[in-house]
Amino acid sequence: MALRITIDCIACGACQFACPNDAVRGGVRLYSIIGRNCNECRGQFDAPQCVEACPVDCIVPRLLPV
């Protein structure tokens, strides 16, 4: 399951620089995560690097439709 960035994003860019999978894309008002590129850093780190880098804790699990 991939992650997503909420509207609380302040577009600081910390998550984009921290992502080892090139899954984060910058936007004018907020950033977004490309789901097909995001593996939540499994096998690379103990925790998703974007979550660790985010100063406002706006990166959360993406809920899949039931």
Side-chain angles (χ1 to χ4, degrees), residues 24-49:
V24 180
R25 295 287 183 255
V28 175
R29 297 187 55 138
L30 59 92
Y31 280 57
S32 62
I33 296 176
I34 308 303
R36 68 179 176 274
N37 293 358
C38 179
N39 69 355
E40 297 183 28
C41 296
R42 286 190 185 105
Q44 297 169 298
F45 298 96
D46 291 333
Q49 296 301 285

Side-chain angles (χ1 to χ4, degrees), residues 5 9 12-20 24 31 49-51 53-55 59:
I5 300 175
C9 176
C12 69
C15 58
Q16 186 174 25
F17 294 113
C19 180
V24 180
Y31 280 57
Q49 296 301 285
C50 60
V51 173
C54 181
I59 302 173

